[in-house]
Amino acid sequence: MDNNEVKEEIFETSTPLPYFPREDTVTVIDLCSSDDSDVEENADRFEDSGSAYPNYNSGNPTGAKRARDSAFGGSSEVDTNHAKKLNVDELAVVLPEGSGQSIPPADGTHAIPADPCNVFRPTPPQPPPSSRTGSCKQFWKAGDYEGVSDGNWDITSGGLDHVRVHPKFLHSNATSHKWALGAFAELFDNAFDEVASGATYVNVDMLENKKAGNRMLLIEDNGGGMGPDKMRQCMSLGYSAKSKLANTIGQYGNGFKTSTMRLGADVIVFSRCPGKDGKSSTQSIGLLSYTFLRSTGKEDIVVPMLDYERRDSEWSKLGRSSLSDWDKNVKTIVQWSPFSSEEDLLRQFDLINDRGTRIIIYNLWEDDQGMLELDFDSDPHDIQLRGVNRDEKSIKMASQFPNSRHFLTYKHSLRSYVSILYLRIPPGFRIILRGTDVEHHNVVNDMMQTEQITYRPQYGVDTYSKDSDMSAVVVIGFVKDAKHHVDVQGFNVYHKNRLIKPFWRIWNAAGSDGRGVIGVLEANFVEPAHDKQGFERTTVLSRLESRLVQMQKLYWTTNCHKIGYAPRRYKPGSGSGYGYKESSPDPDGSDPSGMKTRASDKYYSSSYPNYNGSNAGSGKDGSLSLQEELRREKERSKALEAEVISARELIEEMTKEKNNLIELFAEERDRRDGEEECLRNKLEEASNTIDELLNKIKTLEGSKGPSWRR
């Protein structure tokens, strides 16, 4: 047994670090191997033989020992004749060399190359130095490590080779969330989907980590909870039963991992499930710790788990393998979690009541200045972001223009973002953020002079639609603060009640055109991307985008004068129908809104009060009048040149739109021609096949004719 000691770089605790012998097996979720029936058979064998542990609150150690011994084959040292210890091959998991112990070998075989995130430094009182990789507190740098390479690719699952999932994948997978509040949205979605199981609230709060002296993030709901199998699916990659259920948001089986790893390095989950009949209640604990995997140099994702089941009025431990595996899971979770003992872990279930899930994210990521990405201090009832998403000017404007508040603050304020995250909230469902309910908000209430337009997508021959009658009702109008000429515009695009594109700005005009126009629609006919912060780029989405641009331009052209902008003249012969030109509402060329109008509009309507044709060119007055006229002509020429440039830019924009449409039509035509050619070939092949069959039938009839006559 090695005598190495390991420096604990995350939590300061007087509890000595546990040592796990290498020959012990490990109960893990192998995120890279396929299911193996042998594992289920072994697990069933334990459960059938009474593998439940005694009540963890039992005050009778002797009786507890007997019950535990009985659960594992009659003695505390597991009898191999009754409860065979599962080895690596039987578990069908991938365990790199040295993964059965928390202290790497001292022979230097697990040397870690230097990297910018290696903040671990062995101290003189702890020889020999550990080769574990230290923690990195900045999210965008946390993937810069190599791990411990054991070079063992010979382990198979049920005789089949399979790929392995390195812990770095947890980090790279989470980088899909460029925006941290988008990661919160995934966790809200999971709680929102639990409404079907009776959830009435989701609560997000900040907790103090007494063990490490830092802050943690809490997300909890009182939904149906997760049983042992569902908990393992939650911790695994790609499992999602929601994609087959109606009215649920989740569909990829990836949101929990990406969102939690984006917010912090580690997450521990407590979940209590009443079971199908309400009598077979279970509760489970799962630890997904990037710090643990990184610091111990794991090359596979190891997830310690603990399960309990309710028997009568008492909770008993639910073993899936051996007693030593259970103890090892307990020690690993206690060592790498914010909790100091198994009893401390179990106290979390007292806060769940009879059902629900409690998620605690800790070792939250920091920015380059060493401060938490999440700001808990600016508002005691909110969680905000620091850095580029926070604009002090926008925050000040939000107090001045309340109807534009969500547009100005959603990028940095979780409360603002969550209030518009869902188009509809079920009656009685509460979203609680740091002790205060989030008030649901519909952006339509911030609009005036609204119009409704029904948009029906046009599907090409290459596009598959589950519902060809799908449509979207677009509500478009001016924000109520538009008369102040605030640069607020964009469309809130929802998918199945969930906001995917907040204030999607699709018309980027050079001047003030388009300001103040906002819209809301629910587009269930386009598919969201994996991070649910955008849509997959498809032909259907491109058509929707083009149509929304047209809607905004037409609405602006028709109504901009109502909020103080110079009216635009509609040109019926402009091809696209959106050619327009500013004109001044006043004879002197001034705009009542205080905004500058085009110089050409001014000079088109101006007269020359100092010019008099009767005395032009005669005397001093005539000379001055002629000079004034020449000066004005020069200014008019400059104004015309500026307008020509603007017209050219407009023509270029229209040309780009036309080319895009031409490309779309050409692409559809090519695909249609390809399909027609393919169908012709298939038809010809089918015809040839029919002819061949008919010839064979005739041949057979001819060969069998004499025998029939006999």
Side-chain angles (χ1 to χ4, degrees):
M1 178 179 297
D2 295 334
N3 295 321
N4 295 349
E5 295 181 1
V6 178
K7 177 181 177 181
E8 177 61 66
E9 64 266 28
I10 299 300
F11 303 117
E12 295 182 1
T13 175
S14 58
T15 306
L17 299 177
Y19 176 79
F20 303 150
R22 289 187 60 176
E23 60 271 15
D24 289 349
T25 58
V26 183
T27 302
V28 300
I29 299 177
D30 181 8
L31 298 186
C32 58
S33 59
S34 57
D35 294 336
D36 194 319
S37 60
D38 295 338
V39 180
E40 297 179 358
E41 293 174 4
N42 283 308
D44 293 338
R45 187 162 65 248
F46 274 117
E47 294 176 358
D48 294 340
S49 63
S51 62
Y53 285 63
N55 181 354
Y56 54 74
N57 291 323
S58 175
N60 184 352
T62 304
K65 181 178 184 301
R66 290 174 181 172
R68 183 180 66 184
D69 294 346
S70 175
F72 285 96
S75 65
S76 58
E77 296 181 0
V78 181
D79 187 350
T80 56
N81 293 328
H82 296 84
K84 178 182 178 182
K85 178 184 286 188
L86 301 180
N87 57 31
V88 172
D89 292 332
E90 292 170 323
L91 281 172
V93 300
V94 177
L95 297 178
E97 182 182 356
S99 63
Q101 56 186 3
S102 66
I103 303 177
D107 57 4
T109 57
H110 288 178
I112 304 298
D115 65 75
C117 291
N118 190 357
V119 297
F120 175 80
R121 296 291 183 272
T123 56
Q126 296 176 321
S130 170
S131 61
R132 299 191 312 174
T133 305
S135 63
C136 181
K137 297 182 179 180
Q138 287 79 38
F139 173 72
W140 298 106
K141 299 178 182 178
D144 298 337
Y145 86 103
E146 297 301 327
V148 179
S149 179
D150 59 1
N152 185 5
W153 292 91
D154 296 331
I155 300 176
T156 62
S157 175
L160 299 175
D161 288 337
H162 61 279
V163 298
R164 300 166 63 176
V165 180
H166 195 278
K168 283 200 298 184
F169 180 74
L170 291 175
H171 175 267
S172 59
N173 195 35
T175 57
S176 61
H177 287 294
K178 302 295 187 294
W179 182 43
L181 295 190
F184 274 100
E186 292 276 9
L187 299 174
F188 279 107
D189 291 344
N190 290 341
F192 201 88
D193 287 339
E194 288 297 310
V195 170
S197 301
T200 59
Y201 72 85
V202 55
N203 178 43
V204 177
D205 209 340
M206 184 268 293
L207 300 177
E208 293 289 345
N209 184 349
K210 297 179 180 179
K211 187 175 179 182
N214 52 25
R215 292 174 169 180
M216 306 184 296
L217 193 62
L218 167 70
I219 302 97
E220 62 178 352
D221 65 71
N222 63 341
M226 295 181 287
D229 292 337
K230 191 174 180 181
M231 173 74 88
R232 282 158 176 78
Q233 291 181 1
C234 173
M235 295 289 187
S236 301
L237 299 170
Y239 287 90
S240 177
K242 296 180 183 179
S243 59
K244 301 177 182 178
L245 302 177
N247 302 318
T248 57
I249 302 170
Q251 56 181 320
Y252 296 115
N254 203 31
F256 174 80
K257 278 74 64 177
T258 60
S259 58
T260 53
M261 292 294 102
R262 175 62 185 87
L263 297 172
D266 311 295
V267 59
I268 186 168
V269 183
F270 303 85
S271 192
R272 178 175 286 173
C273 179
K276 295 182 180 180
D277 54 1
K279 298 180 181 179
S280 57
S281 298
T282 60
Q283 59 188 28
S284 300
I285 304 172
L287 176 70
L288 183 59
S289 172
Y290 189 60
T291 303
F292 159 62
L293 298 171
R294 179 190 177 95
S295 298
T296 55
K298 293 290 188 292
E299 280 208 324
D300 291 282
I301 301 176
V302 179
V303 183
M305 301 283 293
L306 297 174
D307 300 312
Y308 304 83
E309 66 176 350
R310 191 177 185 87
R311 293 187 175 182
D312 297 328
S313 60
E314 298 179 344
W315 287 96
S316 302
K317 300 175 182 179
L318 181 61
R320 285 185 170 240
S321 54
S322 67
L323 174 60
S324 62
D325 289 346
W326 175 275
D327 292 338
K328 182 174 297 184
N329 279 272
V330 171
K331 291 178 181 178
T332 304
I333 292 176
V334 168
Q335 177 183 353
W336 296 99
S337 76
F339 304 98
S340 302
S341 64
E342 184 179 2
E343 291 72 19
D344 198 9
L345 291 167
L346 294 171
R347 290 191 192 98
Q348 294 298 307
F349 289 107
D350 296 336
L351 305 173
I352 295 179
N353 296 324
D354 62 331
R355 66 177 66 195
T357 300
R358 186 174 174 88
I359 301 170
I360 298 176
I361 304 172
Y362 56 102
N363 287 334
L364 303 177
W365 298 116
E366 298 179 356
D367 58 20
D368 293 335
Q369 286 72 42
M371 302 179 68
L372 291 179
E373 276 189 319
L374 303 180
D375 178 8
F376 297 101
D377 299 322
S378 295
D379 187 339
H381 301 295
D382 194 6
I383 298 175
Q384 299 183 359
L385 296 183
R386 307 181 197 273
V388 295
N389 292 292
R390 185 182 183 88
D391 184 0
E392 296 299 333
K393 181 180 178 181
S394 296
I395 295 174
K396 185 177 180 180
M397 290 177 62
S399 60
Q400 184 179 359
F401 306 111
N403 295 295
S404 305
R405 176 170 56 87
H406 291 85
F407 174 88
L408 296 168
T409 60
Y410 82 91
K411 290 183 180 179
H412 78 274
S413 170
L414 181 61
R415 180 171 292 274
S416 176
Y417 175 53
V418 173
S419 67
I420 60 174
L421 184 59
Y422 301 105
L423 194 59
R424 300 169 294 275
I425 295 290
F429 186 78
R430 301 169 60 198
I431 300 177
I432 307 169
L433 178 57
R434 302 192 71 182
T436 305
D437 282 35
V438 175
E439 183 179 354
H440 177 253
H441 185 77
N442 193 330
V443 176
V444 174
N445 297 329
D446 296 330
M447 298 163 62
M448 63 181 183
Q449 301 177 19
T450 59
E451 297 179 4
Q452 289 191 5
I453 304 170
T454 300
Y455 172 76
R456 289 183 172 83
Q458 299 296 319
Y459 297 100
V461 293
D462 61 316
T463 307
Y464 170 73
S465 172
K466 295 180 180 179
D467 186 358
S468 58
D469 296 329
M470 271 192 178
S471 62
V473 177
V474 182
V475 181
I476 188 172
F478 284 119
V479 66
K480 292 177 181 177
D481 297 318
K483 60 183 178 180
H484 301 291
H485 297 179
V486 182
D487 190 11
V488 174
Q489 61 173 300
F491 290 84
N492 274 9
V493 186
Y494 292 80
H495 176 84
K496 293 184 178 179
N497 195 45
R498 158 75 138 81
L499 179 61
I500 303 298
K501 293 284 286 186
F503 296 102
W504 186 19
R505 186 164 183 156
I506 54 178
W507 183 24
N508 296 300
S512 60
D513 293 359
R515 283 189 178 183
V517 180
I518 59 176
V520 178
L521 67 149
E522 184 175 17
N524 295 333
F525 47 83
V526 286
E527 288 297 323
H530 281 257
D531 63 351
K532 298 187 181 71
Q533 296 301 309
F535 292 102
E536 297 291 346
R537 296 298 304 182
T538 61
T539 303
V540 177
L541 179 65
S542 298
R543 289 171 175 167
L544 173 63
E545 183 176 359
S546 298
R547 187 68 182 93
L548 291 178
V549 171
Q550 293 176 0
M551 290 181 191
Q552 185 176 359
K553 286 183 177 181
L554 180 59
Y555 183 88
W556 169 261
T557 304
T558 308
N559 300 288
C560 64
H561 65 281
K562 298 179 181 179
I563 58 172
Y565 289 97
R568 271 61 169 169
R569 296 199 190 109
Y570 176 68
K571 293 184 179 180
S574 60
S576 65
Y578 294 101
Y580 53 84
K581 182 178 71 174
E582 282 190 359
S583 62
S584 172
D586 296 333
D588 61 353
S590 63
D591 188 336
S593 66
M595 302 295 288
K596 293 183 178 180
T597 59
R598 296 182 185 177
S600 60
D601 293 336
K602 178 177 179 180
Y603 286 101
Y604 278 140
S605 60
S606 66
S607 60
Y608 301 101
N610 296 326
Y611 175 73
N612 188 338
S614 61
N615 61 358
S618 62
K620 183 177 181 181
D621 293 337
S623 177
L624 291 174
S625 298
L626 183 58
Q627 291 178 3
E628 181 68 17
E629 182 180 356
L630 291 173
R631 183 183 64 81
R632 291 189 178 186
E633 286 294 338
K634 288 180 180 179
E635 292 179 355
R636 183 182 176 186
S637 298
K638 292 180 180 179
L640 288 172
E641 289 177 0
E643 187 163 350
V644 168
I645 294 174
S646 299
R648 287 175 179 172
E649 292 177 353
L650 181 60
I651 291 172
E652 289 178 0
E653 182 180 354
M654 294 168 57
T655 302
K656 289 180 181 178
E657 292 183 4
K658 181 188 71 174
N659 292 336
N660 289 336
L661 290 174
I662 292 174
E663 289 178 1
L664 287 175
F665 290 142
E667 182 181 354
E668 290 180 5
R669 184 178 64 250
D670 293 341
R671 290 175 180 173
R672 183 190 60 199
D673 293 343
E675 282 195 1
E676 290 180 357
E677 182 66 24
C678 182
L679 289 174
R680 288 194 192 96
N681 294 335
K682 290 182 179 179
L683 183 61
E684 185 177 354
E685 291 177 1
S687 178
N688 294 336
T689 303
I690 292 172
D691 291 339
E692 291 177 1
L693 291 174
L694 290 174
N695 292 333
K696 290 181 179 179
I697 291 172
K698 291 179 181 179
T699 303
L700 290 173
E701 287 177 349
S703 61
K704 294 181 179 180
S707 60
W708 292 345
R709 285 192 292 271
R710 287 195 299 269

